């Protein structure tokens, strides 16, 4: 069952407002979430994109052999009566907005070979701290979002696409955004998004994710940067093999594959040719946020001390759930924010070794 929780939009951190210049976006916002004064644009009524007003979106700007890459996870609300859009987001970059891995309050026990706390970037433990306002235009399936700031207006371009149901017919409860480019000096290079008319307070618990209709494989797409090289591709987030942990707010699983070069020792049953990967997915806040993390078990194993929880360069992926008009869970959009670290509690590794990407998983198709 989908639960209504306190809206993520109201979960801002209490901070003293200071003005931040968002060089990557050409926007000016306050750290407390209120938009600072920016040149206003003429607004006119516009259709809701695909007939939907609330979207979850991930956007990033990635270029090889550079360390000024960035990404954000966002919630957009479109206002058709005057053609405006408001957004709130979590943002990271390789400069002054690096982040560290921290434990969530959720212990992943009895759902895999290790018993560790699921980890996530520290910034994601709090609600979105930045808020901006812009305008938008819809021309058929083309959506352009205009973010004003200073003397420029950054353009974010999308194609609004319908989602199919299991019989191939159009699903009226959800639409998808396909990245179509950027303009106005905007440095974004890729993005994913989904929209519906469900409020952002609608979410799925970890127990909901284990319901038969949700316990399926979700097509997983990613685009970003790793060790200075552009990366993109497909994979699968397979809830079909997950099980609920002792703490019902978490699900987990484990698979085996050939490890890379990071392991020196291997726990019983693992080897340099076949090693266990732990996967954790935690609903730590009672809203749409999920903490997704995975790492090779051998990275936390030493013969003298046995198995420990790996606290270094695990893959941490903050995700936002996709919920359709009918309150059904359909997948995620999100990011990987694996900043290089030299020890637990820092992100002091060389930025060129970071792994950053925008991701989506889904959508799960539903029957007519």
């Amino acid at each position: 069952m989908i639960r209504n929780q306190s809206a993520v939009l109201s979960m801002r951190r209490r901070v003293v407002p200071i003005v931040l210049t968002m060089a990557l976006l050409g926007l000016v916002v306050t750290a407390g979430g209120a938009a600072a004064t920016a040149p206003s644009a003429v607004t006119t009524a516009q259709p809701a994109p695909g007939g939907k007003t609330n979207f979850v979106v991930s956007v990033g700007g990635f270029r090889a052999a550079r360390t000024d890459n960035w990404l954000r996870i966002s919630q957009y609300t479109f206002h058709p009566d005057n053609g405006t859009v408001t957004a709130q987001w979590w943002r990271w970059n390789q400069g002054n907005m690096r982040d560290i891995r921290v434990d969530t309050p959720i212990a992943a026990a009895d759902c895999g070979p290790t018993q560790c706390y699921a980890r996530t970037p520290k910034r994601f433990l709090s609600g979105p701290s930045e808020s901006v306002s812009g305008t938008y235009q819809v021309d058929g399936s083309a959506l352009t979002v205009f973010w004003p700031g200073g003397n420029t207006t950054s353009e974010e371009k999308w194609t609004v696409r319908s989602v199919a149901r299991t019989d191939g017919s159009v699903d009226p409860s959800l639409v998808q955004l396909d990245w179509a480019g950027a303009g106005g000096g905007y440095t974004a290079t890729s993005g994913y998004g989904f929209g519906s008319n469900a409020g952002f307070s609608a979410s799925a618990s970890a127990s909901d994710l284990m319901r038969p209709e949700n316990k399926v494989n979700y097509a997983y797409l990613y685009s970003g940067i790793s060790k200075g090289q552009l990366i993109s591709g497909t994979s699968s987030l397979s809830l079909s093999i997950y099980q609920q942990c002792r703490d019902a707010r978490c699900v987990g699983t484990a698979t085996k594959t050939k490890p890379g070069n990071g392991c020196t020792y291997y726990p019983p049953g693992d080897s340099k040719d076949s090693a266990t990967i732990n996967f954790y997915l935690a609903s730590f806040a009672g809203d749409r946020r999920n903490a997704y993390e995975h790492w090779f078990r051998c990275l936390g194993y030493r013969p003298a001390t046995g198995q420990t929880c790996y606290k270094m360069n695990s893959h941490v992926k903050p995700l936002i759930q996709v919920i359709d008009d009918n309150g059904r869970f359909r997948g995620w959009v999100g990011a990987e924010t694996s900043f290089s670290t030299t020890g637990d509690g820092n992100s002091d590794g060389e930025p060129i070794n970071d792994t950053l990407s925008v991701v989506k998983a889904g959508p799960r198709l539903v029957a007519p």
Side-chain angles (χ1 to χ4, degrees), residues 123-142:
R123 193 165 303 137
F124 200 53
L125 288 179
S126 301
S129 61
E130 296 179 357
S131 177
V132 299
S133 297
T135 60
Y136 75 96
Q137 292 179 354
V138 173
D139 183 5
S141 63

Side-chain angles (χ1 to χ4, degrees), residues 243-298:
Q243 59 183 326
Q244 200 144 26
C245 305
R246 185 188 309 165
D247 186 325
R249 296 172 295 173
C250 185
V251 298
T253 192
T255 63
K256 280 194 169 185
T257 189
K258 185 177 178 64
N261 298 320
C263 292
T264 303
Y265 306 102
Y266 297 89
D270 281 14
S271 70
K272 63 181 179 61
D273 297 315
S274 179
T276 301
I277 306 177
N278 297 318
F279 294 86
Y280 304 131
L281 182 67
S283 296
F284 62 90
D287 53 32
R288 290 204 194 189
R289 283 175 289 170
N290 286 155
Y292 181 42
E293 181 194 23
H294 54 87
W295 46 275
F296 275 103
R297 181 185 175 192
C298 53

